[in-house]
Amino acid sequence: MTGMRGLSVFISDIRNCQNKEQERLRVDKELGNIRTCFKNEKVLTPYKKKKYVWKMLYIHMLGYDVDFGHVEAVSLLSAPKYPEKQVGYIVTSCLLNENNDFLRLAINMVRNDIIGRNETFQCLALTLVGNIGGREFAESLTPDVQKLLISSSCRPLVRKKAALCLLRLFRKNPDVVSVDGWADRMEQLLDERDLGVLTSSMSLLVALVSNNHEAYWSCLPKCVKILERLARNQDVPQEYTYYGIPSPWLQVKTMRALQYFPTIEDPGTRRSLFEVLQRILMGTDVVKNVNKNNASHAVLFEALSLVMHLDAEKEMMSQCVALLGKFISVREPNIRYLGLENMTRMLMVTDVQDIIKKHQAQIITSLKDPDISIRRRALDLLYGMCDVSNAKDIVEELLLYLSTAEFAMREELSLKAAILAEKFAPDLSWYVDVILQLIDKAGDFVSDDIWFRVVQFVTNNEDLQPYAAAKAREYLDKPAIHETMVKVSAYILGEYGHLLARRPGCSPREMFSIIHEKLPTVSSSTIPILLSTYAKILMHTQPPDLELQNQIWTVFKKYESCIDVEIQQRAVEYFELSKKGAALVDILAEMPKFPERQSSLIKKAEDAEDTADQSAIKLRAQQQPSNALVLADPQPVNGTPPPVKVPSMSGSVDHESAAQPHSQPNGALSKVEPQTPSADLLNDLLGPLAIEAPPGAMPTEERASTGAGVPDAVDGAAIVPVGEQTHTVEPIGNIAERFHALCFKDSGVLYEDPYIQIGVKAEWRGHHGRLVLFLGNKNTSPLTSVQAQILPPIHLKMELSLVPVTIPPRAQVQCPLELMNIRPSRDVAVLDFSYKFGTNMVNVKLRLPAVLNKFLQPIQLTAEEFFPQWRSLSGPPLKLQEVIRGVRPLPLPEMVNLFNSFRVTICPGLDPNPNNLVASTTFYSESTRAMLCLVRIETDPADRTQLRMTVASGDPTLTFELKEYIKEQLIAIPTGSRAPAPGPGPVASETQPASPAVTANDPGALLAGLL
Amino acid sequence: MIKAVMVMNTQGKPRLAKFYDFQPVEKQQELIRSVFSVLCSRPENVSNFLEADSFFGPESRLVYKHYATLYFVLVFDSSENELAMLDLIQVLVETLDKCFSNVCELDIVFNYSKMQTVLDEIVFGGQVLETSSSEVMKAVEDISKLDAASNSISLVPKSVSGWRGR
């Protein structure tokens, strides 16, 4: 390898290049040269070949594509002499990857070297396979590699490579290491005296037990023996002693292997292990030599992990926490870093949180460490250890740190502070304080979710409103405030500013002028909010103040011709509305309360944690019920008291609730407000749907289709002819289509006719669901005799809250429906709904979108997770296969989308055949709990109308139902062509005389009718 | 599993890059650049750990060590122990030191092939193969001997043309 002068000259040339362009020219020249030489093989001596290959590799490392020479490289593998063979192996394993077709051609040549007698060749071949061997290699070479590993005649150099080579083959195709038989071999391998071979074998064992620990129980005592041997430094040769420590890598790997066994049952083994662990925990000190420190602490931290895993006695745990407490304050930064990281993991262990809390001050100090890696760990730890008892301290520290933190951390910091403030707020006024401070200090990093949420809280808690308004007013006095602060304070002051009217600086006029000062600084998304605020200020100014009115009107006038439609519309409408005098008070009444919902922020955080492998926070969240604030839905019909804490009001806040118009909770009948502050706000906060235009405003085509008899005047009831009873009310839009659409999304319109619109908004968590029905009266006269009854199939438990008998004109009523999935079934729940409009009795039966796929949670599996499950579910009834014909032909990517749309995740790359799809999902029901379902679709590229489907899960019913469900989706995807289904239309009750008695108790029969 | 081993100098020039998950050339260069951009901004006397999730995917960890004009970097997943990986960098450097007696950047630049061989004897397919630097030396010397033997045989008759070629 030395003395390749050509290579050195080339490297020198490259080094002498002044710029990238020169370098590229030199490289291109060299590549051209090599290419020519490869073509003219006669002049190519082994030495030259080797030289060129090293040049190619050097060029490759510099970042240039070397796209030739692959065939030459592969062909060299079979060369008889070492230099050429070596060249072949080196270049092949650097330039090719496992999916390269040339590589597959090489399997036999590689095999010849592995089974040959030449150890040098064996090493070359094993290295290639270990680095880039794929599935085919696994299938053909595994027995030979196994033979080398257990051979007593092979040198350790070959055997240790064979062990790691086998590991690679096992990863590529877990089937190749048959469980029976190999476990005994593995056990024998652990008796190995050579520490090099033992280290490689231990890595192999880690891979095997991580896949299936059951088969390798017999290896457990051996691992403990190895640890004892190393800990006592028995029979450890000098070359494996690293800075005085007997092979730290082997110690670490062995303890890692032990962590894949769920527990250690044999008391003797357990005792021996704990003795070793105790020795490691107690016998490690921080010393001067950095390398020795690193090595000894590598062992120590692994021992800590193992102790946590084994769930040792409390005494030992406290000992660990004490150690960690020591580590987080040492000088050595690596140990501080790992101390914090392991303390975060320690949070998973029960009963030690209180000991960890004692170190809070030190952890907070780490938040100011010069090393950003350490600061991040400290932030994670503080976030994880936060609960009601220390939330105030921690969040205030985070806010303090926010002012000095660098940009890279601010986003994460503000998000975590917001989540903690919401989860653990001791009182709501504190929560409002925190969020406003956050917006003030790091407005750029505060997402809309965060300020929407604070608005929701304030709206739903009357006691909080004067306080929030006063705070918002204070922030407006600051010279430069973030736009988000302008939004939130303008919104709050618009709604609740009048509660402050008697305070100095809070008269409507002053309020308007201070908000209006900010208008020139904000973007067009904020102006609509300001306009609404002005309108509300105007509305609250009693008696009217003409000068203020003129000022505000001037603003409205100015924006009447604004290019932004949202701004323009508001300006025009507010201007017109504000001329209506007293009626304005009704129109611009206070916003209704928001329905109870989970914080999108917390949900986001939880989702992120779901993907994380080990999440202390999540685990702990399961142990202790979250203190998260839940938005109240103080609905009288439900009779449930709002679970919101009442903020402790500071004495300085005036209680003016008497002067405040009582807001009506959402659940009760509230006026539908035609004007809301912001379109975004409306969508994001109010969620469901606004009542659409009254029939009078319907597009003419639609009106025509509804038939001549439909009342199209605003006061419909008055003009309905007496003989109208036989008239059939036509639904607007296609009911079946609406239902199918709702099967794939969680909010939308379920049903609409000229009088009523029924919207649905659903939330699903595990096997529970909450569906809110929004019943909106589109007319100016009331809907009466409203009745809603749920006909649940036997697999669903459903509870609908009371539905009011009358829906007043233009009002919207919300009816929550709680449901629980008992077991897998494709049956559908039906809502039997009827109302009277004038003399018209309307009855409709609507399928509710509480269908099977709503209880699925997407889950993406890796090959290591998927295949063992797939294999363990063997044959019917758990695994069912069916060839399906008459499938709607879909290109594969569209089929992937289809699966994803019903929450069955495609796991790309698991099936080597590109025409096949492998997918997985989790199904939730009370009987099955969370159950993993696996699906495989084999398509026929020649005939897209047929495919073979295999579905597997741990429950026979589930497997069957899921298979049938997917089949339905594949065969008939709901399209517009299915529209004219006459059945499910709402029909005036007279035309459906016989139905109620029979169908009411028999959803099955009813369904049959519907479908 | 170890995902990548990189050696680069303090100007960001790669001196060795080995990826155990296949990465196309452009991606390799991009990763080297992004790692360097973070490394060069780190002060001395801080920890040897970096967050690597944004470059190498979730659960990725990165340790590095700074020697004179070189950074040695190891990227790996959660199945490895961070400090043990740091020790492995030390083993690699100590072995190189034995190979070149007082290794410096130039040794590595001009003996690129030797460094590859050393690395292949320490890390194998993303797993730790050997941790004893004397064992690694033994293996590397065996290969060098074979190499030298073959060179001397093949070089003699071709020496003239080889000489002209330079």
Side-chain angles (χ1 to χ4, degrees):
Chain A
M1 237 174 296
T2 47
M4 274 192 281
R5 281 231 11 227
L7 178 62
S8 302
V9 169
F10 173 64
I11 293 175
S12 289
D13 282 359
I14 292 288
R15 280 172 56 82
N16 289 333
C17 288
Q18 299 293 318
N19 51 43
K20 200 76 191 163
E21 193 43 40
Q22 279 188 10
E23 183 186 291
R24 174 174 292 279
L25 284 173
R26 181 69 186 86
V27 165
D28 283 347
K29 184 180 152 206
E30 196 62 42
L31 286 177
N33 184 18
I34 300 173
R35 210 189 291 255
T36 326
C37 290
F38 271 165
K39 275 192 193 132
N40 189 358
E41 280 216 27
K42 279 184 192 135
V43 300
L44 211 56
T45 62
Y47 168 75
K48 270 192 169 177
K49 246 185 212 168
K50 195 167 67 183
K51 187 176 75 183
Y52 291 144
V53 161
W54 281 116
K55 280 183 186 173
M56 280 164 66
L57 287 186
Y58 194 81
I59 291 169
H60 182 253
M61 183 195 67
L62 289 175
Y64 297 91
D65 222 349
V66 180
D67 53 359
F68 64 97
H70 297 183
V71 189
E72 286 86 349
V74 171
S75 67
L76 280 176
L77 299 183
S78 58
K81 284 193 184 145
Y82 179 77
E84 283 145 288
K85 201 183 262 302
Q86 190 213 17
V87 162
Y89 274 108
I90 289 173
V91 77
T92 305
S93 57
C94 277
L95 297 185
L96 271 59
N97 70 68
E98 62 179 279
N99 300 318
N100 193 301
D101 289 330
F102 295 137
L103 196 57
R104 299 202 180 110
L105 302 176
I107 294 183
N108 262 329
M109 309 183 204
V110 175
R111 178 159 190 267
N112 286 337
D113 283 335
I114 287 180
I115 58 179
R117 291 290 171 82
N118 187 323
E119 287 195 337
T120 320
F121 291 2
Q122 285 175 336
C123 283
L124 285 175
L126 288 172
T127 308
L128 177 106
V129 179
N131 279 306
I132 57 169
R135 251 185 109 78
E136 288 93 343
F137 277 81
E139 278 150 20
S140 353
L141 299 178
T142 303
D144 303 318
V145 176
Q146 282 176 322
K147 228 176 267 169
L148 285 185
L149 173 56
I150 54 178
S151 150
S152 53
S153 60
C154 272
R155 278 205 299 158
L157 184 68
V158 180
R159 294 181 55 214
K160 67 189 182 189
K161 286 182 178 162
L164 294 182
C165 190
L166 187 57
L167 192 164
R168 163 96 185 188
L169 299 178
F170 171 73
R171 287 252 163 88
K172 289 293 150 191
N173 185 354
D175 291 338
V176 296
V177 176
S178 65
V179 170
D180 12 290
W182 188 253
D184 297 341
R185 298 281 194 195
M186 201 62 235
E187 196 187 330
Q188 284 164 23
L189 279 172
L190 297 181
D191 290 330
E192 176 66 45
R193 304 317 289 174
D194 182 279
L195 289 190
V197 178
L198 193 53
T199 306
S200 295
S201 305
M202 197 54 84
S203 295
L204 176 61
L205 178 67
V206 170
L208 295 172
V209 289
S210 68
N211 184 49
N212 174 8
H213 66 264
E214 290 290 342
Y216 296 95
W217 275 116
S218 59
C219 296
L220 196 152
K222 299 267 174 169
C223 290
V224 176
K225 284 244 159 58
I226 292 169
L227 264 188
E228 283 184 299
R229 170 184 163 193
L230 294 172
R232 301 219 169 94
N233 205 349
Q234 291 165 338
D235 189 19
V236 179
Q238 185 52 41
E239 64 264 29
Y240 284 98
T241 310
Y242 177 83
Y243 289 92
I245 299 151
S247 188
W249 294 275
L250 182 53
Q251 294 198 46
V252 163
K253 269 279 174 251
T254 312
M255 288 192 271
R256 197 45 77 98
L258 287 170
Q259 287 169 58
Y260 285 102
F261 293 99
T263 170
I264 297 178
E265 270 148 22
D266 176 54
T269 312
R270 195 177 161 93
R271 203 178 322 110
S272 317
L273 180 59
F274 273 110
E275 272 171 31
V276 177
L277 291 174
Q278 187 72 40
R279 185 192 286 251
I280 296 172
L281 291 185
M282 291 295 93
T284 312
D285 278 318
V286 180
V287 293
K288 269 239 167 96
N289 185 311
V290 179
N291 294 319
K292 187 182 168 90
N293 245 345
N294 282 347
S296 62
H297 284 81
V299 175
L300 176 57
F301 278 111
E302 204 60 52
L304 277 170
S305 288
L306 183 54
V307 171
M308 281 187 242
H309 169 76
L310 293 173
D311 213 5
E313 294 75 28
K314 188 165 183 196
E315 196 187 326
M316 199 160 184
M317 287 293 184
S318 334
Q319 207 179 343
C320 291
V321 183
L323 263 180
L324 290 173
K326 196 177 91 188
F327 291 157
I328 61 173
S329 52
V330 297
R331 256 191 62 219
E332 182 60 45
N334 287 339
I335 294 175
R336 264 201 323 272
Y337 175 95
L338 291 171
L340 290 167
E341 189 181 28
N342 280 278
M343 217 179 234
T344 310
R345 294 176 57 193
M346 198 67 150
L347 290 171
M348 281 191 275
V349 178
T350 37
D351 297 342
V352 296
Q353 282 91 6
D354 288 336
I355 321 177
I356 291 177
K357 278 189 201 160
K358 287 185 194 146
H359 299 286
Q360 193 168 311
Q362 181 59 42
I363 300 166
I364 287 171
T365 314
S366 302
L367 213 48
K368 293 154 194 146
D369 197 282
D371 184 354
I372 188 171
S373 303
I374 293 180
R375 291 197 295 273
R376 285 216 161 98
R377 291 288 82 83
L379 177 59
D380 284 350
L381 177 52
L382 285 174
Y383 179 74
M385 66 191 278
C386 192
D387 61 21
V388 198
S389 72
N390 55 11
K392 242 177 155 152
D393 294 339
I394 289 181
V395 172
E396 272 151 28
E397 270 312 324
L398 296 186
L399 286 175
L400 214 60
Y401 174 43
L402 193 58
S403 330
T404 55
E406 60 270 76
F407 258 44
M409 275 189 76
R410 285 197 181 184
E411 182 162 12
E412 196 184 351
L413 199 57
S414 44
L415 185 68
K416 288 195 161 148
I419 292 174
L420 292 179
E422 181 174 340
K423 261 183 154 173
F424 301 118
D427 59 68
L428 281 175
S429 52
W430 178 79
Y431 169 74
V432 170
D433 281 347
V434 169
I435 300 299
L436 291 181
Q437 280 190 60
L438 261 183
I439 297 174
D440 186 37
K441 288 182 171 171
D444 283 339
F445 300 103
V446 174
S447 61
D448 283 348
D449 296 347
I450 298 180
W451 84 264
F452 288 175
R453 190 70 177 158
V454 81
V455 164
Q456 289 180 27
F457 275 118
V458 173
T459 307
N460 284 17
N461 292 277
E462 279 159 31
D463 293 345
L464 196 57
Q465 290 158 0
Y467 180 78
K471 274 281 163 191
R473 177 68 189 76
E474 272 174 35
Y475 275 104
L476 284 178
D477 280 336
K478 289 187 122 192
I481 57 173
H482 193 272
E483 186 165 344
T484 306
M485 184 63 89
V486 177
K487 286 184 188 169
V488 70
S489 25
Y491 185 94
I492 291 179
L493 288 177
E495 291 292 320
Y496 310 111
H498 59 280
L499 304 178
L500 306 176
R502 285 182 215 146
R503 295 187 172 198
C506 297
S507 71
R509 223 186 263 194
E510 286 162 308
M511 205 81 94
F512 167 73
S513 78
I514 192 146
I515 296 174
H516 194 52
E517 257 173 38
K518 314 289 178 198
L519 190 130
T521 65
V522 299
S523 66
S524 57
S525 68
T526 306
I527 295 176
I529 300 179
L530 296 189
L531 294 183
S532 303
T533 303
Y534 300 163
K536 293 227 169 184
I537 290 178
L538 202 55
M539 179 268 285
H540 281 301
T541 312
Q542 298 300 342
D545 173 342
L546 283 183
E547 197 187 326
L548 178 64
Q549 181 174 305
N550 281 334
Q551 279 177 357
I552 293 178
W553 280 0
T554 316
V555 180
F556 289 158
K557 275 276 170 221
K558 183 181 157 201
Y559 285 105
E560 252 178 17
S561 53
C562 179
I563 191 143
D564 187 305
V565 186
E566 182 63 38
I567 298 175
Q568 184 195 22
Q569 186 177 356
R570 286 194 196 211
V572 173
E573 288 177 356
Y574 288 145
F575 181 67
E576 290 305 322
L577 286 169
S578 60
K579 287 183 185 157
K580 293 209 182 290
L584 189 63
V585 179
D586 284 339
I587 300 165
L588 290 179
E590 198 170 287
M591 290 296 284
K593 293 192 174 174
F594 294 99
E596 176 187 330
R597 68 173 62 177
Q598 194 194 8
S599 159
S600 60
L601 210 56
I602 291 182
K603 192 163 179 306
K604 229 189 261 171
E606 281 169 1
D607 288 350
E609 279 157 20
D610 276 344
T611 56
D613 183 30
Q614 44 141 281
S615 149
I617 304 137
K618 192 183 157 212
L619 220 103
R620 213 158 58 87
Q622 287 161 359
Q623 287 164 4
Q624 37 174 263
S626 160
N627 197 36
L629 301 170
V630 182
L631 267 184
D633 183 10
Q635 213 172 58
V637 281
N638 260 355
T640 45
V644 176
K645 297 179 178 183
V646 175
S648 67
M649 297 292 299
S650 62
S652 65
V653 179
D654 290 339
H655 285 266
E656 296 184 40
S657 41
Q660 171 196 352
H662 255 293
S663 68
Q664 288 194 311
N666 251 343
L669 312 171
S670 61
K671 287 245 163 76
V672 176
E673 303 205 12
Q675 304 301 325
T676 43
S678 140
D680 286 341
L681 251 190
L682 180 69
N683 289 339
D684 281 54
L685 295 178
L686 267 179
L689 61 153
I691 298 280
E692 284 176 15
M698 256 196 301
T700 38
E701 321 77 275
E702 243 181 277
R703 206 186 318 168
S705 74
T706 54
V710 177
D712 60 357
V714 193
D715 47 348
I719 59 151
V720 173
V722 184
E724 198 54 37
Q725 277 163 333
T726 51
H727 168 71
T728 303
V729 176
E730 286 292 333
I732 299 172
N734 181 292
I735 294 179
E737 249 176 67
R738 288 189 192 277
F739 166 75
H740 286 298
L742 280 168
C743 290
F744 296 103
K745 54 182 194 175
D746 282 334
S747 63
V749 178
L750 181 68
Y751 170 78
E752 187 171 3
D753 67 22
Y755 310 117
I756 193 166
Q757 186 191 49
I758 304 179
V760 171
K761 190 167 163 61
E763 278 182 345
W764 309 93
R765 202 178 310 158
H767 62 285
H768 291 282
R770 182 186 160 91
L771 217 139
V772 184
L773 297 173
F774 295 85
L775 311 175
N777 180 354
K778 294 164 64 170
N779 294 283
T780 43
S781 48
L783 298 178
T784 53
S785 312
V786 177
Q787 280 187 346
Q789 198 185 358
I790 300 286
L791 314 171
I794 33 178
H795 76 285
L796 289 177
K797 211 160 131 186
M798 304 177 100
E799 235 171 89
L800 179 66
S801 62
L802 271 178
V803 175
V805 179
T806 310
I807 306 178
R810 311 295 287 275
Q812 194 188 48
V813 180
Q814 298 184 15
C815 308
L817 168 65
E818 303 287 344
L819 52 92
M820 189 164 79
N821 189 21
I822 312 287
R823 63 181 154 271
S825 165
R826 281 170 302 129
D827 292 345
V828 183
V830 171
L831 171 71
D832 185 353
F833 184 80
S834 54
Y835 66 91
K836 216 165 153 186
F837 179 75
T839 51
N840 241 357
M841 185 72 191
V842 181
N843 172 250
V844 290
K845 295 197 170 49
L846 301 165
R847 285 180 288 172
L848 287 175
V851 287
L852 185 115
N853 65 310
K854 301 284 184 182
F855 302 103
L856 298 176
Q857 268 301 316
I859 179 171
Q860 182 113 38
L861 296 183
T862 62
E864 288 83 44
E865 295 159 335
F866 185 91
F867 289 108
Q869 298 279 354
W870 183 256
R871 274 192 306 277
S872 69
L873 300 165
S874 53
L878 295 182
K879 192 192 246 173
L880 297 173
Q881 194 168 70
E882 185 175 336
V883 173
I884 303 169
R885 292 183 218 289
V887 174
R888 206 182 85 137
L890 279 179
L892 225 48
E894 270 182 46
M895 196 177 282
V896 170
N897 289 341
L898 175 68
F899 272 83
N900 286 334
S901 73
F902 52 83
R903 306 190 197 183
V904 176
T905 330
I906 301 293
C907 308
L910 289 199
D911 200 312
N913 184 338
N915 290 312
N916 295 351
L917 294 176
V918 166
S920 55
T921 188
T922 320
F923 177 79
Y924 289 88
S925 73
E926 198 186 44
S927 68
T928 62
R929 296 282 150 197
M931 185 164 280
L932 189 66
C933 311
L934 308 171
V935 182
R936 182 162 186 234
I937 303 286
E938 294 158 273
T939 65
D940 179 358
D943 181 4
R944 289 239 163 260
T945 63
Q946 64 171 11
L947 51 78
R948 187 162 73 169
M949 172 163 74
T950 317
V951 177
S953 81
D955 180 89
T957 327
L958 174 56
T959 304
F960 177 78
E961 293 289 330
L962 185 66
K963 188 194 73 169
E964 292 299 311
Y965 174 80
I966 297 175
K967 196 161 92 184
E968 285 168 9
Q969 303 304 319
L970 288 171
I971 291 176
I973 292 135
T975 57
S977 59
R978 276 181 69 170
V987 188
S989 57
E990 288 79 0
T991 61
Q992 204 184 25
S995 63
V998 193
T999 52
N1001 335 326
D1002 186 2
L1006 187 76
L1007 256 181
L1010 283 171
L1011 294 165
Chain B
M1 180 184 163
I2 298 170
K3 295 182 172 178
V5 181
M6 298 177 214
V7 180
M8 60 187 89
N9 73 3
T10 41
Q11 261 95 56
K13 278 215 171 20
R15 294 305 179 204
L16 174 87
K18 184 121 186 161
F19 292 82
Y20 295 97
D21 287 337
F22 177 77
Q23 305 281 1
V25 178
E26 308 80 51
K27 180 76 186 161
Q28 292 189 5
Q29 294 299 314
E30 187 194 318
L31 289 171
I32 294 171
R33 273 197 302 276
S34 20
V35 168
F36 176 72
S37 67
V38 186
L39 284 185
C40 65
S41 62
R42 281 180 69 80
E44 290 296 315
N45 303 320
V46 292
S47 69
N48 298 93
F49 305 119
L50 266 190
E51 312 252 311
D53 302 33
S54 49
F55 313 139
F56 293 92
E59 292 293 303
S60 298
R61 287 131 194 269
L62 184 154
V63 300
Y64 72 99
K65 243 177 163 176
H66 184 182
Y67 296 90
T69 58
L70 291 174
Y71 288 115
F72 284 76
V73 181
L74 271 183
V75 184
F76 47 92
D77 64 16
S78 58
S79 69
E80 305 286 345
N81 177 304
E82 289 100 330
L83 284 176
M85 288 295 112
L86 201 56
D87 290 338
L88 202 65
I89 294 182
Q90 183 66 20
V91 170
L92 173 62
V93 174
E94 283 179 14
T95 313
L96 291 174
D97 215 35
K98 283 180 192 163
C99 279
F100 302 111
S101 58
N102 259 334
V103 65
C104 69
E105 189 183 345
L106 273 187
D107 290 326
I108 286 172
V109 173
F110 284 102
N111 296 283
Y112 170 69
S113 52
K114 184 138 191 169
M115 184 150 86
Q116 283 271 359
T117 318
V118 171
L119 180 64
D120 276 350
E121 291 301 323
I122 295 178
V123 181
F124 178 107
Q127 299 291 332
V128 180
L129 174 66
E130 184 54 72
T131 58
S132 151
S133 72
S134 52
E135 288 292 312
V136 176
M137 280 304 289
K138 257 189 249 168
V140 172
E141 274 160 15
D142 282 353
I143 294 173
S144 300
K145 267 181 223 153
L146 268 174
D147 225 43
S150 64
N151 277 355
S152 56
I153 300 162
S154 61
L155 266 179
V156 173
K158 306 285 176 193
S159 56
V160 179
S161 66
W163 191 80
R164 229 192 302 134
R166 291 171 213 146

